[in-house]
Structure formats: C-alpha cells, structure tokens
Amino acid sequence: MRHSNKNSILETNRRNKERENSSKPSFNNVSMSQVSKMLDILVENYDSRLRPELYGKATQVAVNISIRMLGPIDDSKEVLMFTCYLRQSWEDFRLSFNQYSNLDIEELSLNWRFLETIWKPDTYILRGRESFLHKITAPNRLVRLSKSGHISYSQRLTISSECRMDLRKF
C-alpha cells in the first residue's frame, strides 16, 4: 500500500510540474515568425544614421576591453599588437519591444547582420594604426537586444597600436 501511495504522489508531482512548465511562456513557445515580424516593424522607419536621443541628451555608451593576447611588440617601430574583445552597450528606445507583451521575451541574441540596420557608436582606439575583425566562417560579433532597447555588442579584434617606448635603461 505504501508503494502505490508513493507512486501516486510522484505521479501527481510530475503532472503538476508539467502543468506549471507548460503555462510558463518560453522562447521555444514563441514563434520565430512573430519575433521576425516584430524586428521588421522596429526597424521599418529606423534611421541608422541618427543616434538615439538625437535632440535630447547625449547617448551614453559603456565600453569594456578585455585583452586576450598581448604581443608581438616591435620596439624599433614602437608598435604593440594585441587581441581583445571590445564590448559596448547603450540604450536605443527606438528598438524597445516592451509593447509586445505577448512575446514574453526579455532578451534576443541576434545575427551580426542586424548591426547593419541600427546605429552603432563610432568607437576608435587612440594611437591605433590598424585593426582587423576576426572572421572564421562569419565575423566574430555578438549582438543582444533587451526588451527595454538596451543593446550589447561585442566583437573580437586584433589591433596594432602605437606604443611609445623609452628603452635606454634596458
């Protein structure tokens, strides 16, 4: 009797979890066509030449550089090469999708081609001579868009930079 009672409790718990999980909307429950339509609507009249808050305050861009490899260093030319992840984030109210409450998605990871349709900060490295974006099968870029219009953009770069060196004591 105990054994069957235990099984029925386990079965009830399993059914409750299934009901609970099925009632929670997840990204898997959201149709990709709905997300695609939403993105099409968001960028339909979007002008990527204009920064967010064009007539208001300046757009604040958070920048982070994570250096992955340092070198080689050419002391005769005073050049330093390094590989890094350049991460930037900013708010763009024009891309907010709060009004699409039926989607119940907090953040989207987007294809790097989405960057071609939106405003991006014109970030540069002081004393940078040249740089290149890593491309294996596709450019090494990551783009995320949150419901509020917060954009996170990361790219892997190798940068050749001027590096003044005074090596007289070495």
Side-chain angles (χ1 to χ4, degrees):
M1 183 122 176
R2 280 186 178 176
H3 184 64
S4 68
N5 193 16
K6 185 177 180 181
N7 283 341
S8 66
I9 290 171
L10 290 173
E11 182 63 26
T12 303
N13 285 342
R14 186 187 61 75
R15 275 193 238 125
N16 286 341
K17 281 187 178 185
E18 283 177 3
R19 260 189 248 123
E20 187 179 300
N21 289 336
S22 67
S23 67
K24 288 182 185 176
S26 70
F27 189 71
N28 295 335
N29 295 341
V30 175
S31 131
M32 290 307 289
S33 66
Q34 287 177 300
V35 172
S36 191
K37 284 178 190 175
M38 176 199 68
L39 289 171
D40 288 343
I41 291 168
L42 288 176
V43 297
E44 185 175 20
N45 295 315
Y46 187 99
D47 189 344
S48 63
R49 298 170 297 171
L50 304 176
R51 68 173 173 82
E53 305 287 342
L54 180 62
Y55 300 108
K57 60 185 179 185
T59 302
Q60 297 291 314
V61 178
V63 178
N64 170 293
I65 295 180
S66 174
I67 296 177
R68 306 304 301 159
M69 186 175 75
L70 193 58
I73 299 171
D74 186 338
D75 55 341
S76 64
K77 293 181 182 175
E78 295 186 325
V79 173
L80 165 70
M81 291 197 61
F82 60 95
T83 300
C84 67
Y85 286 101
L86 174 63
R87 298 182 185 108
Q88 303 173 85
S89 62
W90 63 93
E91 299 288 333
D92 192 336
F93 67 93
R94 301 171 293 177
L95 297 173
S96 168
F97 55 94
N98 282 323
Q99 66 273 25
Y100 295 92
S101 57
N102 60 322
L103 294 180
D104 195 37
I105 298 172
E106 294 301 314
E107 186 176 74
L108 293 169
S109 290
L110 300 168
N111 186 300
W112 61 270
R113 288 190 176 108
F114 184 73
L115 289 166
E116 297 168 2
T117 63
I118 65 169
W119 176 86
K120 296 169 294 307
D122 186 18
T123 306
Y124 61 94
I125 306 294
L126 286 175
R127 296 190 181 100
R129 290 187 174 178
E130 59 183 29
S131 66
F132 70 88
L133 176 66
H134 288 256
K135 298 177 186 177
I136 297 174
T137 56
N140 203 330
R141 294 178 170 169
L142 172 69
V143 185
R144 289 194 175 117
L145 174 63
S146 74
K147 198 173 209 169
S148 65
H150 182 85
I151 298 165
S152 299
Y153 169 38
S154 178
Q155 58 186 335
R156 185 174 178 206
L157 301 170
T158 293
I159 299 170
S160 174
S161 178
E162 178 183 317
C163 182
R164 295 185 186 130
M165 299 177 201
D166 184 2
L167 303 174
R168 288 178 288 185
K169 295 183 181 180
F170 293 97

